[in-house]
Amino acid sequence: MKEYQTITEISGPLVYAEVDEAIGYDEIVEIETAQGETLRGQVLESSEDVVAIQVFEGTSGIDRDASVRFLGETMKMPVTEDLLGRVLDGSGRPIDDGPEIVPEERQDIVGAAINPYSREYPEEFIQTGVSAIDGMNTLVRGQKLPIFSSSGQPHSELAMQIARQASVPEEDEGDDEEGSEFAVIFGAMGITAEEANEFMEDFERTGALERSVVFMNLADDPAVERTVTPRMVLTTAEYLAFEKDYHVLVILTDMTNYCEALREIGAAREEVPGRRGYPGYMYTDLAQLYERAGRIQGREGSVTQIPILTMPGDDDTHPIPDLTGYITEGQIYVDPDLNSQGLEPPINVLPSLSRLMDDGIGEGLTRADHADLKDQMFAAYAEGEDLRDLVNIVGREALSELDNKYLDFADAFESEFVDQGFDENRSIEETLEIGWDLISMLPKDALNRIDEEFIEEHYREDDAEREAVEAAD
């Protein structure tokens, strides 16, 4: 292993060094400062005589007297089932005062793309316990479903709720209670120390940490480390899913901080910027992360992703949500207006979408009436939203009796279905029953999206008639 003292330039998080041999792209580097401190880095660009190295811990303390060693391998994540219950920093080192990790193997963090021919279509339900997701925008195993939020919204609380409550309801398999195990890999990038403490207190208080692996990159950690964190997270997830048969839910927050780190590195490399200063290759870079979700034929496990991003200026045409929406299979919107009304979680179901939902619900998965009920609630809530605008102009007295029922439905949908609190865990059965309670506020002849068989079985006719009698009295 050669050691060089040929640093020629330091620019932001990058160090440039002269070399006299071929150095591989992404190769891991150790830089020893004059003070004896050893820093880790990664080759970002390599030519015949100069390499650019991005330093994970930042370049403070590095000068021309520092020594550079190329280790001849790319960055690897030490993986083992014993990672469950552990807390690691953004580059995969334990920070929970626990014992040293003894890995079963070390895997390349870039990972290998899943062969499209070997992919299994995602179509099995994951229960998050959140009605606005389970009932209206269902998450299925192997899907990538981002949460679009904005600064100041309670997306962290929603992330904690999903991490705490998410489960895989297995089909009835007799007395076999083993089934497939479920794990959550939580990757935090650029969060504040206060947020980190909230996450850890919640994980420990609820016992969710026992089935989780937590990666923490804080706001005062080097931005370069943020480019490594999601790859560490996904390498761990793939190992547990495809080699240990876990159903793994990956939660990544905040992808905006990750993209800002890409922009910072691109500026240091003096690259030609793309939209709003972000690198032109950001679409490819995000796709490399998001496309690591999925299922593989012949393997029990699955990797499901929920990336969370805060849209700058609450603008969903911004490059980060825009590119994310192209790559992923839908989105969940956290709405500032619903948040200001005090709804928990403030999910706006109308612009939200789960493209794989229809294949993950129905008989044998959730319940036979789920799809019809969901369609009817979407239609009724959209009608109520439109009528709210009309009421502001003409008043409720000018509306028909049916229109007033749609308005009442929209109010009840938000207060009873969406607003459940961050601590309530609803089963899919409870979610659907609440949905039928609400849709029964409308007359039967208005339910034009539900099969007659389901209306006869679930419609709360007695309740509706009793309310009409009470209103008449």
PDB file of all heavy atoms in Angstrom, residues 355-366:
ATOM      1  N   ARG A 355     -49.636   4.261  -6.531  1.00  0.00           N
ATOM      2  CA  ARG A 355     -49.896   3.659  -7.843  1.00  0.00           C
ATOM      3  C   ARG A 355     -50.067   2.148  -7.778  1.00  0.00           C
ATOM      4  O   ARG A 355     -50.638   1.550  -8.685  1.00  0.00           O
ATOM      5  CB  ARG A 355     -48.767   4.006  -8.815  1.00  0.00           C
ATOM      6  CG  ARG A 355     -48.700   5.482  -9.175  1.00  0.00           C
ATOM      7  CD  ARG A 355     -47.736   5.746 -10.320  1.00  0.00           C
ATOM      8  NE  ARG A 355     -47.707   7.162 -10.653  1.00  0.00           N
ATOM      9  CZ  ARG A 355     -46.789   8.007 -10.222  1.00  0.00           C
ATOM     10  NH1 ARG A 355     -45.828   7.573  -9.422  1.00  0.00           N
ATOM     11  NH2 ARG A 355     -46.826   9.278 -10.547  1.00  0.00           N
ATOM     12  N   LEU A 356     -49.535   1.523  -6.735  1.00  0.00           N
ATOM     13  CA  LEU A 356     -49.615   0.063  -6.639  1.00  0.00           C
ATOM     14  C   LEU A 356     -50.735  -0.387  -5.713  1.00  0.00           C
ATOM     15  O   LEU A 356     -50.872  -1.577  -5.433  1.00  0.00           O
ATOM     16  CB  LEU A 356     -48.277  -0.501  -6.146  1.00  0.00           C
ATOM     17  CG  LEU A 356     -47.053  -0.170  -7.007  1.00  0.00           C
ATOM     18  CD1 LEU A 356     -45.807  -0.847  -6.445  1.00  0.00           C
ATOM     19  CD2 LEU A 356     -47.267  -0.589  -8.446  1.00  0.00           C
ATOM     20  N   MET A 357     -51.538   0.562  -5.228  1.00  0.00           N
ATOM     21  CA  MET A 357     -52.564   0.232  -4.235  1.00  0.00           C
ATOM     22  C   MET A 357     -53.543  -0.825  -4.724  1.00  0.00           C
ATOM     23  O   MET A 357     -53.864  -1.770  -4.003  1.00  0.00           O
ATOM     24  CB  MET A 357     -53.316   1.499  -3.836  1.00  0.00           C
ATOM     25  CG  MET A 357     -54.482   1.236  -2.899  1.00  0.00           C
ATOM     26  SD  MET A 357     -55.290   2.759  -2.382  1.00  0.00           S
ATOM     27  CE  MET A 357     -56.549   2.128  -1.289  1.00  0.00           C
ATOM     28  N   ASP A 358     -54.022  -0.676  -5.953  1.00  0.00           N
ATOM     29  CA  ASP A 358     -55.092  -1.561  -6.435  1.00  0.00           C
ATOM     30  C   ASP A 358     -54.682  -3.030  -6.425  1.00  0.00           C
ATOM     31  O   ASP A 358     -55.529  -3.915  -6.305  1.00  0.00           O
ATOM     32  CB  ASP A 358     -55.519  -1.144  -7.849  1.00  0.00           C
ATOM     33  CG  ASP A 358     -56.284   0.174  -7.841  1.00  0.00           C
ATOM     34  OD1 ASP A 358     -56.732   0.578  -6.747  1.00  0.00           O
ATOM     35  OD2 ASP A 358     -56.404   0.806  -8.903  1.00  0.00           O
ATOM     36  N   ASP A 359     -53.382  -3.289  -6.570  1.00  0.00           N
ATOM     37  CA  ASP A 359     -52.915  -4.682  -6.555  1.00  0.00           C
ATOM     38  C   ASP A 359     -52.662  -5.196  -5.148  1.00  0.00           C
ATOM     39  O   ASP A 359     -52.426  -6.395  -4.967  1.00  0.00           O
ATOM     40  CB  ASP A 359     -51.631  -4.809  -7.383  1.00  0.00           C
ATOM     41  CG  ASP A 359     -51.866  -4.464  -8.844  1.00  0.00           C
ATOM     42  OD1 ASP A 359     -52.742  -5.083  -9.455  1.00  0.00           O
ATOM     43  OD2 ASP A 359     -51.181  -3.556  -9.358  1.00  0.00           O
ATOM     44  N   GLY A 360     -52.671  -4.294  -4.154  1.00  0.00           N
ATOM     45  CA  GLY A 360     -52.336  -4.705  -2.789  1.00  0.00           C
ATOM     46  C   GLY A 360     -53.521  -4.745  -1.850  1.00  0.00           C
ATOM     47  O   GLY A 360     -53.348  -4.951  -0.651  1.00  0.00           O
ATOM     48  N   ILE A 361     -54.741  -4.509  -2.397  1.00  0.00           N
ATOM     49  CA  ILE A 361     -55.931  -4.534  -1.542  1.00  0.00           C
ATOM     50  C   ILE A 361     -56.959  -5.481  -2.145  1.00  0.00           C
ATOM     51  O   ILE A 361     -56.821  -5.937  -3.274  1.00  0.00           O
ATOM     52  CB  ILE A 361     -56.542  -3.121  -1.373  1.00  0.00           C
ATOM     53  CG1 ILE A 361     -57.011  -2.561  -2.731  1.00  0.00           C
ATOM     54  CG2 ILE A 361     -55.550  -2.180  -0.715  1.00  0.00           C
ATOM     55  CD1 ILE A 361     -57.750  -1.236  -2.629  1.00  0.00           C
ATOM     56  N   GLY A 362     -57.981  -5.752  -1.373  1.00  0.00           N
ATOM     57  CA  GLY A 362     -59.044  -6.624  -1.854  1.00  0.00           C
ATOM     58  C   GLY A 362     -59.092  -7.921  -1.072  1.00  0.00           C
ATOM     59  O   GLY A 362     -58.422  -8.088  -0.051  1.00  0.00           O
ATOM     60  N   GLU A 363     -59.896  -8.837  -1.545  1.00  0.00           N
ATOM     61  CA  GLU A 363     -60.111 -10.106  -0.851  1.00  0.00           C
ATOM     62  C   GLU A 363     -58.804 -10.889  -0.731  1.00  0.00           C
ATOM     63  O   GLU A 363     -58.057 -11.008  -1.694  1.00  0.00           O
ATOM     64  CB  GLU A 363     -61.157 -10.932  -1.601  1.00  0.00           C
ATOM     65  CG  GLU A 363     -61.686 -12.097  -0.797  1.00  0.00           C
ATOM     66  CD  GLU A 363     -62.920 -12.717  -1.426  1.00  0.00           C
ATOM     67  OE1 GLU A 363     -63.347 -12.239  -2.501  1.00  0.00           O
ATOM     68  OE2 GLU A 363     -63.443 -13.674  -0.846  1.00  0.00           O
ATOM     69  N   GLY A 364     -58.531 -11.385   0.473  1.00  0.00           N
ATOM     70  CA  GLY A 364     -57.307 -12.133   0.713  1.00  0.00           C
ATOM     71  C   GLY A 364     -56.118 -11.263   1.048  1.00  0.00           C
ATOM     72  O   GLY A 364     -55.076 -11.754   1.471  1.00  0.00           O
ATOM     73  N   LEU A 365     -56.248  -9.939   0.852  1.00  0.00           N
ATOM     74  CA  LEU A 365     -55.159  -9.008   1.163  1.00  0.00           C
ATOM     75  C   LEU A 365     -55.583  -8.053   2.274  1.00  0.00           C
ATOM     76  O   LEU A 365     -54.988  -8.024   3.334  1.00  0.00           O
ATOM     77  CB  LEU A 365     -54.750  -8.235  -0.099  1.00  0.00           C
ATOM     78  CG  LEU A 365     -54.152  -9.097  -1.218  1.00  0.00           C
ATOM     79  CD1 LEU A 365     -54.125  -8.333  -2.530  1.00  0.00           C
ATOM     80  CD2 LEU A 365     -52.743  -9.539  -0.840  1.00  0.00           C
ATOM     81  N   THR A 366     -56.629  -7.256   2.011  1.00  0.00           N
ATOM     82  CA  THR A 366     -57.207  -6.417   3.079  1.00  0.00           C
ATOM     83  C   THR A 366     -58.642  -6.891   3.313  1.00  0.00           C
ATOM     84  O   THR A 366     -58.895  -7.706   4.173  1.00  0.00           O
ATOM     85  CB  THR A 366     -57.155  -4.923   2.701  1.00  0.00           C
ATOM     86  OG1 THR A 366     -57.772  -4.724   1.423  1.00  0.00           O
ATOM     87  CG2 THR A 366     -55.725  -4.440   2.666  1.00  0.00           C
TER      88      THR A 366
END
